[in-house]
Amino acid sequence: MSDLTAKEQTHYHWREPEEVDAVADSLTALGHKVDKIGTLNNLLERWRCNQLPDFIWNLSVRTLSRNRTALAPAILEQLGIPYTGGDATAKSLTLNKDLLKPVLQWRRILTPPWYRYETGENIQSLPPWSSSILKPSCEGYSLGLRKFDNQEGLTVLRQQVEEIGQSFDAPVLCEEFIAGREITVGVVGNSLPLLLGAVETVNATGEPLSEQVLDLQAKRQGKFQKIGVDIADSKLQGLQEIALELMKFLGPLDYATFDFRMASDGRAYLLDINADATLHPQRSFAQIARAAGLSYQELIEVILKASLTRWAKI
């Protein structure tokens, strides 16, 4: 879908052709007939022409809407077509961080403390912590994410919040920055995990992120790398338990990744739940699978198995 206003800073979450092709090629290699539908408008046109498929691998994300990941599963549910991934409720909740974080607190899952700045809000004071992460309330892939230090002053804070809010037409979250290790846990499976693994994001020399921030620019420039870590390590036991708890609570999801920051005191803060995790062959989930001994095609097969199994029970 063309969009003359599209730019990387606000639209990078559109699916990369390499991801779509990799999923399609893997499904074809597994013996399935694959037909790339494209946009939701194309899907609705198929419905009008009575040309709906038997099953959909859902990669739809759309753009610039807090409902953008929920639209496809909601439509597919109404049309009665089974699909991969979470439903509209899970997709919307996990995308909208300002709604997700109170739920995490209710579940007694540690997440960085935060404020929500409304559009046009007159910010009167600096946050009570020294460093913050500013980001739009309903985006992923670090879009709009910035680090702010209180020493920059109130004027700069107001300016940055206004810029983010206007760019994304959304409230802005200001959460405490947690220095430490950044670890992503990946899970495939619903009632029982079929894949559980983790990777750590480190810098070019293999050191933990610590004070560094994985923003969009850093991701695009390849300043960091991901290395496999042992999820069974006693230090990571809590991460595993939280990921599995949330897979059940939010599920069925089929697959998801969970981003954590581990502070120097050993406490693990859940930063994000990616119920719409990318399946690009060079991104986190594929790297988690490789660290667990699975090829990319085997990862796609495991996800498909999890999804088909849960739809068979409905």
Side-chain angles (χ1 to χ4, degrees):
M1 181 183 298
S2 62
D3 186 339
L4 297 179
T5 67
K7 52 187 178 181
E8 182 182 64
Q9 290 79 4
T10 56
H11 291 69
Y12 190 80
H13 50 236
W14 281 23
R15 295 296 189 183
E16 297 169 278
E18 296 84 358
E19 177 185 2
V20 176
D21 290 342
V23 172
D25 291 346
S26 295
L27 291 172
T28 299
L30 291 169
H32 301 283
K33 182 180 179 182
V34 178
D35 184 6
K36 299 176 186 176
I37 293 176
T39 67
L40 287 179
N41 287 339
N42 291 350
L43 173 66
L44 293 175
E45 184 61 29
R46 296 280 190 99
W47 169 67
R48 294 187 189 98
C49 299
N50 196 28
Q51 296 177 347
L52 291 174
D54 296 323
F55 186 90
I56 283 185
W57 191 290
N58 177 29
L59 295 176
S60 177
V61 292
R62 290 188 63 85
T63 184
L64 294 180
S65 164
R66 74 175 193 170
N67 301 308
R68 62 183 181 82
T69 57
L71 295 175
I75 292 173
L76 292 171
E77 186 173 315
Q78 176 64 23
L79 296 178
I81 303 175
Y83 55 89
T84 60
D87 64 9
T89 299
K91 289 289 185 74
S92 187
L93 177 61
T94 53
L95 179 68
N96 290 271
K97 319 302 186 220
D98 51 340
L99 305 180
L100 173 64
K101 288 172 79 70
V103 174
L104 295 178
Q105 287 189 329
W106 167 59
R107 300 290 296 187
R108 298 186 179 181
I109 294 173
L110 191 61
T111 187
W114 81 100
Y115 287 110
R116 166 180 158 144
Y117 295 131
E118 302 292 346
T119 303
E121 180 175 339
N122 183 18
I123 303 172
Q124 296 296 314
S125 60
L126 293 168
W129 43 81
S130 60
S131 296
S132 304
I133 293 295
L134 303 175
K135 57 187 177 182
S137 63
C138 52
E139 286 302 334
Y141 204 76
S142 300
L143 293 182
L145 184 149
R146 305 183 188 183
K147 186 180 179 184
F148 169 79
D149 294 320
N150 278 3
Q151 62 186 10
E152 298 178 74
L154 187 57
T155 299
V156 173
L157 175 64
R158 290 170 174 165
Q159 178 184 354
Q160 293 197 5
V161 168
E162 182 179 3
E163 289 176 356
I164 296 171
Q166 289 182 349
S167 294
F168 293 89
D169 191 24
V172 176
L173 288 192
C174 172
E175 65 180 21
E176 182 180 7
F177 171 68
I178 307 298
R181 300 172 64 188
E182 184 153 323
I183 296 176
T184 299
V185 177
V187 184
V188 178
N190 293 303
S191 58
L192 292 174
L194 302 177
L195 168 66
L196 175 65
V199 292
E200 178 175 2
T201 302
V202 297
N203 62 23
T205 60
E207 299 171 331
L209 292 190
S210 187
E211 296 286 342
Q212 296 173 293
V213 177
L214 194 61
D215 57 17
L216 178 61
Q217 183 179 9
K219 287 181 176 180
R220 298 304 295 138
Q221 294 179 349
K223 294 181 179 180
F224 302 101
Q225 56 182 319
K226 296 182 187 294
I227 59 174
V229 294
D230 184 6
I231 195 67
D233 187 314
S234 59
K235 295 180 180 179
L236 305 182
Q237 184 67 35
L239 278 62
Q240 175 178 321
E241 293 173 356
I242 290 170
L244 293 177
E245 175 188 345
L246 289 171
M247 286 294 289
K248 294 179 181 178
F249 174 67
L250 297 169
L253 295 177
D254 294 338
Y255 67 101
T257 59
F258 303 82
D259 297 330
F260 293 89
R261 272 272 182 161
M262 295 194 66
S264 57
D265 61 6
R267 289 190 294 176
Y269 293 80
L270 180 59
L271 304 181
D272 201 4
I273 301 174
N274 304 295
D276 198 55
T278 177
L279 293 173
H280 189 291
Q282 303 304 321
R283 306 284 186 257
S284 294
F285 220 129
Q287 292 166 321
I288 290 170
R290 285 196 293 271
L294 294 181
S295 68
Y296 182 82
Q297 182 175 310
E298 288 171 329
L299 170 63
I300 298 302
E301 184 176 18
V302 170
I303 293 173
L304 181 61
K305 177 181 177 181
S307 189
L308 292 175
T309 298
R310 60 111 164 176
W311 283 106
K313 296 178 180 179
I314 296 177

